[in-house]
Amino acid sequence: MTIFYVAVLVCACMILLAALSSALAYRFGAPLLVLFLGVGLLAGTDGLGIEFDNTALTYYVGSLALAIILFDSGFGTAAKTLRKAAVPALLLATLGVALTAVLVACAAHFVFDFSLAQGLLLGSIVASTDAAAVFFLMRIGGIHVVERVSATLELESGINDPMAIFLTLTIVTLLAPQGHESFAVIPLALSFLQQLGFGLVFGLAGGGMIVFLVNRFGLNRGLTPILVLALALIVFSATGAAGGSGYLAVYVAGLYAGNKNVRYSGAIRHFQEGMTWLAQIIMFVLLGLLATPRHFDAIIIPALAMSLFLVFIARPLAVWLCLLPFNYRPRETKFISLIGLRGAVSILLALLPILYGLPMANDYFNIVFVMVLTSLVLQGWSLAPLAKRWKLVTPVPAGPIEHVEIDLPGEANHELVVYALREDCPVLTGTPIPRWAVPSLVIRDGQSTRFFYAGELKAGDYLYLFIEPGRSPLLDRLFSVPKPLAPESDPEMFGSDTVLPTRPMSELEALGSRIKIAEAERSLTVAAFMNHRLGARPAIADRVEIGPLSLIVREINAEGEISAIGIWLETEAPPGLPIFMNFREIMRLLTRRHARTRLGKDEG
C-alpha cells in the first residue's frame, strides 16, 4: 500500500512542477511544452532515477491525451476560420505531409545511411505538425497573428495526423518481419480512404450526437462537460474500432459541436481548457520520462542536422509547393513554413517501431526526440520575432474579461459579458451601444451601480452587458479599437454594402438562395420590415437577421426614421484554387451587381 501512495505522490509532484513551470515560461518566453518535456527528463532514469520503460502505456495514454486536445481544438475553432483556410490546410495536411516525408527520407539516406524505406519511416514520423504545440502557441502564446495565417496553421495541425499515421503504419508494415508478404498497395490505399471517410462521417455524426444529447437532457451545469468529454471519447474510440481515423473524427466532432448552440457552452469550454492542460502535461511528462538522454550521444549531431534540414528546407519547400496555387503573400508563406512545430504526435509515432519490434527502433525514437526538442525550442521561440519582423501581428482584440452563459428555463441562449473600459475605446468616444447589448451594471472604484444611475462611462469602469448569443465578437469592437467606429472602417459591424430603405423586401431574395422572406412581409419596405421586427424606436447598429443576411441600421434622420441600411452577407464557401476562385468571384460580383441594380443602387 505504501508503494501506491509513493507513486501517487511522485506523479502529483511532477504534474505540480510542470504546472508551476508555466510561470517561468510566461516570464522568459520559453516554449512551455519544452518545460513539460524537461520535467519528465529531469525525473527520468538519467535525472532523479525514476525507471520508466512502458512503451505501450505511453503510446495509449498519449493517444488518449491527444484525442482530448484535438476535440478541444476543434470545439474552439470558429466556422469562419474553416472557411478562410480549409482548402490550403487540407492540401498541406495531405500532399504537404507526403512531400515532407519524401524530402526527409532523401536527407536521411545521406546523413544516417538509411535505406529508402528506413528514411521514409523517419520522414513519415516527423512529417506532421503537432496540434498541441501549434494550438498552444497560436492561442495562448501572447501574440495575435493575422487570421488567415493562424487559421491555416491551426487547421493543418488539426487534420494532418491521419496522413502521418497512415504513412508511418504503411512503412512499419513494410519493414516489419513478414512485412513484404503482407504489403499491398491497393488495400493500403483503400485503408487510407476508409480512415479519412470514416473519420469524417463518424466525426459529423458524433458532433450531431453531442449537440442533440446536451440540448435534449436537462443535466446540471457541472455534469454536462463530463457528458461531452465522454461522448468525445466514444467518438474517438468507436471510429478507431471501425477502422477510421479517431483523431480526425474527434476533431471534426469538436468542430461541429463548437459551432452549434449548445447548452452550458461556457462551462464546457472552461472544463475542456483544464482537461487540455492536464492532457498536455501528462503526455509530455510521460514522453520525457521514457527518453534516455545518455543514448543521445551517438545520434545527437546527425539528428540536429536533420532537424535543421526539416525546419529550413523540407518544410518550407513542401509548404511553398502546396500554397503556390493560392494567393498567399510571400511573407505569409514563409511564416507558415517556419512555424510548423513538431511535438507529441511525432514522438508517439516514433514508439511504433518499438512496438512492432523493428531493427534500430530505439534509434528512431532518440532521433525523433532530438528533432522534436529542437523544433519546439527553435520554432517556439521564433514565432513572435518572425511575426513582428514580417508584419503579421494584429492587435489583440479586447474581448470580455468574463463571459457567462445564462441558461434560464425554456430560454437557453443568453450571455452575460464583462468588459474593462480602456482610454479612447469607441464606447467612450461617442459610439452608441447597440440595442442587442443591454448594459446592466457598472463597477467603478470597487462600487457597483446600475447602468442608468452610473452617469457617463469612464476609463477603468467594468461594464456588465446582456447580449444575444454569438454577438460577442461584434461587441468586442466597441471596447478594443482606439478610435470611433464608422461604416467605412468596419463592414461586419455596419454592413459591407447598403440598400435603399424604400425598396421592397421581396428584392432581397436575389442576394442568396437561403434568404427566405415570409409572404406577408414581401411587400413591406426594408425600413418598415426592420421597424416591425425591432418593435421599438430604431438605434444605430440594430440588426435583423434573415438566414445568412444581416440588415443593419446605419443612419437615423432627425425624425427618428431609418435613413440608411447596411447589409452583411455571411459566406459559407471555403477558398479554392485560383481558377475556381476567379470563376466564383466573377459570378458573385455579377450576381451582386444585378442585385444592387434591383435594390436601387444603380438607378437614375
Side-chain angles (χ1 to χ4, degrees):
M1 199 65 177
T2 304
I3 296 177
F4 167 75
Y5 291 119
V6 171
V8 172
L9 176 63
V10 171
C11 292
C13 287
M14 286 192 292
I15 293 175
L16 178 63
L17 180 60
L20 292 177
S21 65
S22 62
L24 183 67
Y26 287 123
R27 183 178 182 85
F28 297 102
L32 186 55
L33 302 181
V34 174
L35 296 182
F36 293 166
L37 276 177
V39 171
L41 289 172
L42 178 65
T45 182
D46 290 344
L48 298 179
I50 296 177
E51 294 288 343
F52 180 79
D53 59 357
N54 195 327
T55 303
L57 176 64
T58 303
Y59 180 79
Y60 294 126
V61 171
S63 298
L64 192 62
L66 185 59
I68 294 173
I69 294 169
L70 284 171
F71 179 78
D72 180 55
S73 301
F75 201 85
T77 300
K80 66 176 183 179
T81 300
L82 181 65
R83 293 193 294 266
K84 286 180 179 294
V87 177
L90 181 61
L91 201 59
L92 286 172
T94 51
L95 180 61
V97 169
L99 287 173
T100 302
V102 171
L103 291 171
V104 171
C106 295
H109 174 70
F110 293 100
V111 175
F112 292 106
D113 197 25
F114 280 175
S115 67
L116 178 60
Q118 291 173 327
L120 280 174
L121 177 56
L122 178 62
S124 301
I125 290 172
V126 298
S128 66
T129 56
D130 183 68
V134 171
F135 278 97
F136 172 78
L137 279 178
M138 300 306 298
R139 295 185 180 180
I140 315 175
I143 192 165
H144 199 260
V145 180
V146 292
E147 188 173 16
R148 189 186 186 195
V149 173
S150 61
T152 302
L153 284 166
E154 291 185 13
L155 282 175
E156 178 202 6
S157 67
I159 62 179
N160 64 6
D161 293 332
M163 186 66 175
I165 293 170
F166 168 75
L167 291 174
T168 302
L169 286 173
T170 300
I171 306 302
V172 166
T173 302
L174 177 64
L175 293 176
Q178 308 300 323
H180 291 281
E181 289 118 7
S182 60
F183 184 82
V185 175
I186 295 179
L188 284 172
L190 292 176
S191 174
F192 176 63
L193 294 177
Q194 175 181 314
Q195 288 186 43
L196 289 183
F198 280 20
L200 183 60
V201 171
F202 276 65
L204 290 173
M209 176 182 67
I210 290 172
V211 174
F212 174 79
L213 291 178
V214 170
N215 291 336
R216 181 77 173 179
F217 293 98
L219 300 176
N220 63 49
R221 187 182 298 270
L223 192 58
T224 299
I226 299 175
L227 171 68
V228 171
L229 178 61
L231 291 172
L233 294 179
I234 288 174
V235 172
F236 170 72
S237 56
T239 308
S245 172
Y247 301 106
L248 178 61
V250 77
Y251 179 78
V252 171
L255 187 65
Y256 182 90
N259 285 280
K260 297 293 183 179
N261 290 327
V262 180
R263 296 184 66 187
Y264 303 129
S265 60
I268 294 171
R269 293 179 193 278
H270 285 305
F271 177 80
Q272 287 179 176
E273 182 181 2
M275 288 301 300
T276 298
W277 276 109
L278 181 61
Q280 288 183 124
I281 290 174
I282 292 175
M283 179 169 56
F284 279 90
V285 169
L286 268 181
L287 292 172
L289 274 175
L290 193 64
T292 50
R294 65 175 178 272
H295 295 154
F296 292 171
D297 294 346
I299 54 90
I300 185 69
I301 300 302
L304 288 173
M306 288 298 303
S307 301
L308 297 178
F309 177 83
L310 174 64
V311 171
F312 294 109
I313 298 178
R315 164 76 178 178
L317 184 57
V319 169
W320 179 74
L321 290 173
C322 289
L323 297 185
L324 193 59
F326 306 94
N327 58 340
Y328 283 84
R329 293 176 293 179
R331 63 176 182 266
E332 292 176 337
T333 302
K334 287 190 293 184
F335 185 82
I336 292 171
S337 65
L338 292 178
I339 309 298
L341 286 90
R342 272 58 190 173
V345 174
S346 295
I347 302 178
L348 287 174
L349 291 179
L351 298 177
L352 289 176
I354 300 176
L355 295 175
Y356 278 78
L358 297 188
M360 302 172 54
N362 289 322
D363 290 338
Y364 285 114
F365 179 81
N366 292 334
I367 293 169
V368 171
F369 195 94
V370 172
M371 293 179 70
V372 168
L373 200 57
T374 304
S375 172
L376 289 175
V377 172
L378 185 63
Q379 296 173 295
W381 251 307
S382 62
L383 183 143
L386 289 179
K388 293 175 182 177
R389 179 178 179 180
W390 290 331
K391 299 179 181 179
L392 296 174
V393 179
T394 59
V396 179
I401 60 176
E402 188 61 58
H403 191 151
V404 180
E405 179 186 354
I406 308 298
D407 193 48
L408 300 175
E411 299 289 342
N413 295 319
H414 292 82
E415 295 176 1
L416 175 66
V417 292
V418 186
Y419 286 91
L421 273 61
R422 303 187 305 177
E423 289 283 354
D424 299 326
C425 68
V427 164
L428 298 181
T429 55
T431 301
I433 298 174
R435 183 196 310 274
W436 43 262
V438 181
S440 174
L441 190 69
V442 175
I443 305 296
R444 180 179 298 157
D445 299 327
Q447 301 293 321
S448 60
T449 308
R450 291 176 61 184
F451 173 75
F452 294 105
Y453 300 142
E456 185 177 355
L457 294 174
K458 302 177 182 178
D461 288 350
Y462 291 93
L463 180 61
Y464 288 69
L465 305 101
F466 287 95
I467 64 172
E468 296 180 11
R471 296 285 174 81
S472 178
L474 288 175
L475 197 62
D476 292 348
R477 293 162 164 76
L478 300 181
F479 300 90
S480 60
V481 184
K483 59 182 179 182
L485 293 179
E488 297 77 16
S489 63
D490 198 331
E492 190 172 359
M493 185 74 173
F494 295 100
S496 57
D497 210 334
T498 59
V499 56
L500 292 177
T502 56
R503 304 306 296 180
M505 283 295 298
S506 58
E507 295 181 354
L508 292 180
E509 291 181 326
L511 294 176
S513 60
R514 294 201 302 120
I515 300 173
K516 306 296 183 183
I517 300 172
E519 190 63 35
E521 297 174 327
R522 292 172 60 84
S523 60
L524 295 177
T525 65
V526 180
F529 170 81
M530 293 193 70
N531 283 322
H532 173 70
R533 285 290 184 93
L534 293 171
R537 187 180 181 90
I540 299 295
D542 277 353
R543 301 170 77 94
V544 175
E545 295 178 349
I546 316 171
L549 177 67
S550 295
L551 300 174
I552 308 161
V553 178
R554 272 197 176 193
E555 295 176 7
I556 297 176
N557 59 23
E559 289 75 30
E561 300 172 341
I562 301 174
S563 57
I565 297 173
I567 55 175
W568 175 257
L569 187 62
E570 283 286 347
T571 176
E572 295 186 348
L577 298 175
I579 184 171
F580 179 63
M581 279 287 289
N582 291 339
F583 175 75
R584 291 189 63 244
E585 184 70 6
I586 290 171
M587 293 303 296
R588 187 184 70 82
L589 290 175
L590 288 175
T591 304
R592 183 174 174 186
R593 173 76 174 180
H594 175 66
R596 289 178 63 188
T597 301
R598 293 185 61 190
L599 294 174
K601 294 287 292 184
D602 298 328
E603 294 182 352

